[in-house]
Amino acid sequence: MTPVTRQEVLGLYRKIFRIAKKWQSASGQIEETIQEKEYIKNEAKTLFRKNKNVMDPKLIKQCIEECEARIEIGLHYNIPYPRPIHLPPMGLAHKQGRTLRHQEKLRKISKPIYLKSHDEVS
């Protein structure tokens, strides 16, 4: 990891914790605010620890882009949780075969950048 990339990653980590410190839930309830603050901190710790050994510059850049996207979406919608995506269900595919593999591939490709790591951790 280059020193510039390292500074960028550490800056994002600090930015997330500053956001968590100032976070206010949409409902304004104290319990919900505390719960959302904890979620933000735990999610950041989990994902940053999971990706600390990543050395591939392209993968690092993708993780940085995902982090920035999640920060912007969370601040815009005032929701710390990843926004759900609405893809058609895979109910039409058989349990096995090319159709299922093709639909799984399409779902993976169509997943937005801000949800790439969410399913891996959750």
Side-chain angles (χ1 to χ4, degrees):
M1 186 183 306
T2 65
V4 174
T5 309
R6 180 177 169 79
Q7 289 175 342
E8 189 177 0
V9 170
L10 291 174
L12 282 172
Y13 193 70
R14 286 190 298 268
K15 182 178 182 178
I16 291 169
F17 278 88
R18 282 193 301 268
I19 290 170
K21 192 174 188 178
K22 298 176 189 174
W23 187 262
Q24 196 65 293
S25 71
S27 68
Q29 295 179 354
I30 295 172
E31 303 86 29
E32 224 172 275
T33 300
I34 292 170
Q35 185 180 19
E36 289 179 0
K37 283 181 176 185
E38 286 301 312
Y39 173 79
I40 293 169
K41 291 176 190 176
N42 291 337
E43 184 80 358
K45 286 178 186 176
T46 303
L47 290 175
F48 276 84
R49 285 182 183 152
K50 176 185 156 274
N51 294 321
K52 76 177 182 178
N53 295 322
V54 173
M55 294 299 170
D56 181 25
K58 289 181 182 178
L59 194 54
I60 292 171
K61 189 69 177 164
Q62 181 182 2
C63 291
I64 290 171
E65 289 172 359
E66 178 184 353
C67 181
E68 290 170 343
R70 286 186 67 177
I71 288 171
E72 291 303 316
I73 289 171
L75 291 174
H76 179 76
Y77 292 104
N78 200 26
I79 300 173
Y81 312 107
R83 289 183 48 81
I85 55 172
H86 301 289
L87 296 175
M90 294 180 8
L92 299 176
H94 297 290
K95 299 281 186 225
Q96 56 189 356
R98 285 192 327 204
T99 309
L100 178 64
R101 286 192 301 271
H102 180 67
Q103 279 192 1
E104 287 175 344
K105 182 179 176 184
L106 287 175
R107 289 177 72 80
K108 186 175 183 181
I109 292 170
S110 64
K111 186 182 285 190
I113 190 167
Y114 60 87
L115 284 177
K116 296 286 184 198
S117 64
H118 186 261
D119 289 341
E120 297 168 6
V121 174
S122 299

